[in-house]
Amino acid sequence: DADVTQTPRNRITKTGKRIMLECSQTKGHDRMYWYRQDPGLGLQLIYYSFDVKDINKGEISDGYSVSRQAQAKFSLSLESAIPNQTALYFCATSDPQDGYTFGSGTRLTVV
Amino acid sequence: KQEVTQIPAALSVPEGENLVLNCSFTDSAIYNLQWFRQDPGKGLTSLLLIQSSQREQTSGRLNASLDKSSGRSTLYIAASQPGDSATYLCAVSSGGSYIPTFGRGTSLIVHP
């Protein structure tokens, strides 16, 4: 199994729908992150969590929410999806010795 | 605020060449620097992690160096192969939160 698993891998949803992207990890890292990647814009940080009780907004948190259900699980929700949220979404974990480990990504299309 | 720049943005070379990709950063008070590879539409794969106390790391044909005083890191790829074609990103962790700042990447094409 992958160290960082994201589900689903691909999702097409309609404008206004609520959608949840899930992430689980087996690295045992306390820190988890959600990033968005758009062509030509690089990686943008949406939310990050340093432990189960610590959740912080990143650069582009508007329109998104997160839940840290356990050390190993960190989910991202779009409460009411809009077309400009179409992007590739990545979950990542980190610790100072291992650096960052990324999941394979979720390709989200909002129509 | 940390700023990370990668030069060149794109590179196309024939197979077999030795390559140098550059990453520069503005704040030298870093914790670590990590190089990643990303294939189109795929996730980021970690290549090398250099802690602030280290000068270089090596893995196979890859060697990454770190010079904090000049705010630079280089990724050296020896004897490039078509399978090395990908985007290479560097990420610099600094500041109190350890959140990394990513460069925009260098898009590499190695043609046979």
Side-chain angles (χ1 to χ4, degrees), chain A residues 31 37 40 50 96-97 100, chain B residues 34 38 49 51 97-98 100 104:
Chain A
R31 299 181 175 204
Q37 188 178 43
F50 285 174
Q97 295 307 311
Y100 268 61
Chain B
Q34 194 166 1
Q38 185 178 27
L49 172 68
Q51 301 292 349
S97 65
Y98 294 85
R104 291 289 184 91

Side-chain angles (χ1 to χ4, degrees), chain A residues 2 6 17 19-20 23 25 33 40 50 65-67 69 78 85-86 89-90 93 99 102 107-109:
Chain A
Q6 292 184 235
K17 292 291 188 181
I19 183 170
M20 179 182 289
C23 177
Q25 56 122 339
Y33 310 80
F50 285 174
S65 63
V66 291
S67 174
Q69 300 94 328
L78 288 69
Q85 292 178 313
T86 293
Y89 289 84
F90 290 108
T93 71
F102 279 79
R107 183 171 296 282
L108 176 66
T109 303

Side-chain angles (χ1 to χ4, degrees), chain A residues 9 31 33 35 37 40-43 45 48 50 88 90 96-100 102-105 107, chain B residues 1 32 34 36 38 40-46 49 51 89 93 96-100 102-104:
Chain A
R9 292 296 306 275
R31 299 181 175 204
Y33 310 80
Y35 286 90
Q37 188 178 43
L41 291 183
L43 284 162
L45 182 61
Y48 61 101
F50 285 174
L88 193 53
F90 290 108
Q97 295 307 311
D98 291 346
Y100 268 61
F102 279 79
S104 298
R107 183 171 296 282
Chain B
K1 179 183 176 183
N32 59 46
Q34 194 166 1
F36 295 88
Q38 185 178 27
K42 304 295 184 182
L44 280 70
T45 300
S46 178
L49 172 68
Q51 301 292 349
L89 297 100
S93 293
S97 65
Y98 294 85
I99 301 294
F102 285 84
R104 291 289 184 91

Side-chain angles (χ1 to χ4, degrees), chain B residues 19-87:
Chain B
L19 309 173
V20 175
L21 307 183
N22 297 293
C23 173
S24 61
F25 47 93
T26 54
D27 182 355
S28 61
I30 71 170
Y31 298 111
N32 59 46
L33 185 146
Q34 194 166 1
W35 282 94
F36 295 88
R37 167 188 172 135
Q38 185 178 27
D39 294 290
K42 304 295 184 182
L44 280 70
T45 300
S46 178
L47 298 174
L48 292 164
L49 172 68
I50 310 177
Q51 301 292 349
S52 63
S53 59
Q54 298 172 323
R55 294 299 301 271
E56 66 177 351
Q57 285 285 345
T58 298
S59 175
R61 294 184 294 110
L62 305 179
N63 175 276
S65 66
L66 174 64
D67 183 344
K68 290 190 299 181
S69 62
S70 65
R72 295 181 64 182
S73 175
T74 60
L75 179 66
Y76 177 82
I77 303 176
S80 59
Q81 303 171 357
D84 294 330
S85 298
T87 297

Side-chain angles (χ1 to χ4, degrees), chain A residues 16-55:
Chain A
K17 292 291 188 181
R18 183 179 189 275
I19 183 170
M20 179 182 289
L21 308 183
E22 298 188 352
C23 177
S24 63
Q25 56 122 339
T26 58
K27 298 286 290 185
H29 292 166
D30 287 326
R31 299 181 175 204
M32 297 187 74
Y33 310 80
W34 276 102
Y35 286 90
R36 168 180 172 157
Q37 188 178 43
D38 297 271
L41 291 183
L43 284 162
Q44 297 175 279
L45 182 61
I46 306 172
Y47 271 94
Y48 61 101
S49 170
F50 285 174
D51 66 40
V52 175
K53 296 181 180 180
D54 179 65
I55 293 179

